């Protein structure tokens, strides 16, 4: 049960409308780096948050079907978090809907 609460916090903090603090970001990344189960839960929760327009936009950027795009986009985002390719400032930009070339490349799988 405790793991589920932590997973929900991660999904809410990183992949929803609120911007996490830098300390929260560091904590979430550390958790994701050490737990494949947490990564899978965050990806699943993230992918369910896309509406029809979001799926279509993600499909265009990820170059996969609209149906698969939310999962692929979330997988790529989480993988970039874990690897350190995405920084705290990048997360802030994504949450504020400012997509940089770096973020677009990550969503494209490059």
């Amino acid at each position: 049960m405790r793991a589920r609460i932590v997973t929900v916090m991660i999904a809410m903090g990183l992949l929803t409308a609120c911007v996490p603090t830098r300390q929260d970001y560091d904590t979430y990344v550390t958790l994701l780096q050490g737990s494949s189960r947490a990564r899978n839960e965050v990806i699943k929760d993230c992918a369910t948050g896309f509406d029809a327009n979001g799926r279509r936009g993600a499909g265009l950027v990820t170059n996969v079907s609209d149906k698969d795009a939310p999962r692929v986009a979330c997988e790529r985002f989480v993988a970039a978090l874990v690897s350190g390719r995405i920084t705290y400032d990048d997360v802030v930009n994504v949450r504020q809907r400012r997509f940089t070339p770096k973020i677009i490349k990550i969503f494209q799988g490059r």
Side-chain angles (χ1 to χ4, degrees), residues 22-108:
R22 188 173 297 274
Q23 183 178 357
D24 288 343
Y25 169 82
D26 292 339
T27 301
Y28 299 149
V29 170
T30 300
L31 178 62
L32 292 174
Q33 288 171 334
S35 174
S36 60
R37 183 174 173 191
R39 286 190 300 274
N40 291 336
E41 286 293 319
V42 168
I43 291 166
K44 184 174 77 174
D45 289 346
C46 167
T48 61
F50 283 71
D51 62 10
N53 286 334
R55 284 190 299 276
R56 189 170 71 243
L60 291 170
V61 174
T62 60
N63 198 32
V64 299
S65 71
D66 291 358
K67 177 185 171 213
D68 294 331
R71 179 187 47 79
V72 171
C74 293
E75 285 173 349
R76 290 175 181 173
F77 188 81
V78 169
L81 281 171
V82 169
S83 72
R85 285 186 65 203
I86 289 182
T87 65
Y88 173 78
D89 292 331
D90 295 327
V91 172
V92 171
N93 282 333
V94 169
R95 294 306 340 134
Q96 295 174 346
R97 301 197 182 275
R98 291 188 310 236
F99 294 94
T100 63
K102 174 184 174 183
I103 296 298
I104 297 298
K105 287 179 184 177
I106 287 169
F107 283 128
Q108 291 175 333

